[in-house]
Amino acid sequence: MSETTLTPVSGDLDPLGDADRADKAQVKRNRAKVGAARPSTLLYTYGPGAIMDLPQFTVMPAGLDDWDRIWARRDVPATIHAPRLLQSVRKHLGHQVRELRPFPWAPRRSFMSREGEDLGVPARVFPQWLRCTGCDLLAPLTRFEYTNTHPHRTDQARFEHVGCPGRKKPASTSGKRQTRKPALPARYLLVCTNGHLDEFPYDWWVHRGKRCPKAEVPVLKMIDRVVGKGASATIVCASCDARRPMNEAQGEHAAPKLPRCRARHPHLDAFDTSCDLPVRLILVGSSNLWFPVTQSIVVMPAQSGEETQERADLLLDRIARDDLEGLRENLADLRRLLRYTVPEVAALSDADLSAAVELALALPQSVEERREEQRRFDPVELLLPEWRYLQRDPSGQHHDDASGLTLSPRARHPQLRPEVSRVLAIDKLRKVNALVGFTRIDDVERIGDAPTRLAPLTRDRKPLWTVATEDRGEGIFLQLNEGGVAAWEARVENSQVWLAHVEAHRRNYANRYSETAAQVDPDTRLAPPRYWLVHTLAHVLIREMAMRSGYSAASISERLYAWRAGEDREAAAGLMLITTASDSDGTLGGLVQLSEPQRLHALLESALLRARRCSSDPVCAQRVPRDPEDFLHGAACHCCAMASETSCERANRFLDRRFLLDLPNRAGLGFFGRV
């Protein structure tokens, strides 16, 4: 299947360049800056293609094509070094991706200094249909006046309807001051599961697919007098008195009434060549409007094979594949060429150079090969190198590494539960997160054909870089006894509780109002029992740590290593609890102190004791999903085991205290037995 091309529809987006040109011409202008957000927010909530709420209107961060004009203001763009993550990104975006870049930002020495004013994330106003709050006028933003003149008050940036007559037309406006009323975004949009998003065609809708009989450019109004859920507004044509409620566009039966998908990507200001999927109505603030697809790693020292992979990527980056193929058997000529293109590879031995060349030529080059590689991608591939490195004993009491990882071994307390076989203190770590795309309507784990559903970040779908964030922090690593976990897992799989979870997971997929979820075998997406165990243990420890470490529960996150043995990997059962910050060199050491033998023993015992009781018991302790229920948790709720979304990697799914310990009157399934 060939890749779809994108067609741009307007000029380049260059807000800072426009401001510079206005300054040179000594023209009074509006400020280019309209808001600010933290890097983690821009990565996970308001990335390219998402809609970001500002105080007076909404904007959409643009695709990476437009970011290049921002980075062009720096001689050398900043980069983030994480080869293992870069390799994973290339599996999704192609091997032409050269680097990971942070968000275009620079720190200021003082409040009044001007460092970083020439950087920022370019964004478009979207949606571009606005509604006047004074007279209900519904029109494109060109009908309204934009003001943003205060250098330090971006919250005052707004669109205004100049000369608003109000909802009741006055008898005479002569001699009266011109009225200005703020205009807010019209909240209705059209979306499809291919990631396309478009403005709602209000003119087409109110006239039922025809033209207004009274005016070439009709005057539209959005009347919304009822505070309710969903599409409660009515669109009125003031030129011909036609009207149509928006609730007709909502629901399963609205598809025949809506237009065809125009295959629009507003963040790229471009259209796909075609799209044959139906569209549906969606509101600007809907939670399913944008789901980021990200990859993240904890940076570990390079292991066997990773250096060869990095060299192979460098070869393909600097030398054409055909040239590399021609010099495959002539390493002397290849080495002479590499002295000018990739000097760090030219100095390798013949064996290492030959290995890098063979690996480079084995990398997929066609679209079909790349998509097959994406389909086979397993998130465990990112976790496996970390797990293997954490199995090694640190070489010293405080083992520091050039990767930014500092580990310290911890002795086990004599009374620490034997189910916990190993403890490491993570004094320092570096975590890197990269964006590879996004989906709409369905999260990526619900999608069976992810390569085609993944919305692009650039117009040509072949980005040379992608955006990433770099966090530094600390944490604790706990490993469970594999023999005990395997025996417990074999016992749990035959229990009625586990079979009930399996059936609930199948119903959850079947009940989704989603075309893409129907294409996925739910059993392939169900986490094994050991994941439920490790996940529940992580949550109860996070709650206990928040009371002892000085960090809030929302600032502590989990990284879970829980999978069965496979052809190319050994079984894993462990967890890393970390706290990180993107704007500092580390954290305060509160979590590391909890890894000390006496404190960890007390922490674990207290966490298990608290997990034994819940203020919602006996309802919580006895909760088992039964037909037609389709929730993905058992004895777990916000009173006992659930955590904030910043802490949990699976949105509080796959949790059950019965797998952690024997609850009152529910004995036999707990890994730690009776507490």
Side-chain angles (χ1 to χ4, degrees), residues 71 153 166 311 359 450 462 564 566 577 610 669:
W71 280 120
R153 292 294 303 275
R311 294 163 185 162
L359 182 57
K462 294 182 179 180
R564 293 168 172 161
L577 300 178
R610 290 180 191 275
L669 298 180

Side-chain angles (χ1 to χ4, degrees), residues 6 56 80 122 174-175 181 278 300 314 344 366 395 458 462-463 465 476 482 498 549 629 634:
L6 295 174
Q56 307 293 339
I80 296 176
S174 59
K181 291 292 184 180
M300 303 279 177
L314 275 173
E344 59 268 41
S366 69
S395 57
T458 58
K462 294 182 179 180
W465 60 275
I476 300 176
E482 175 56 34
W498 176 250
S549 66
E629 296 169 334

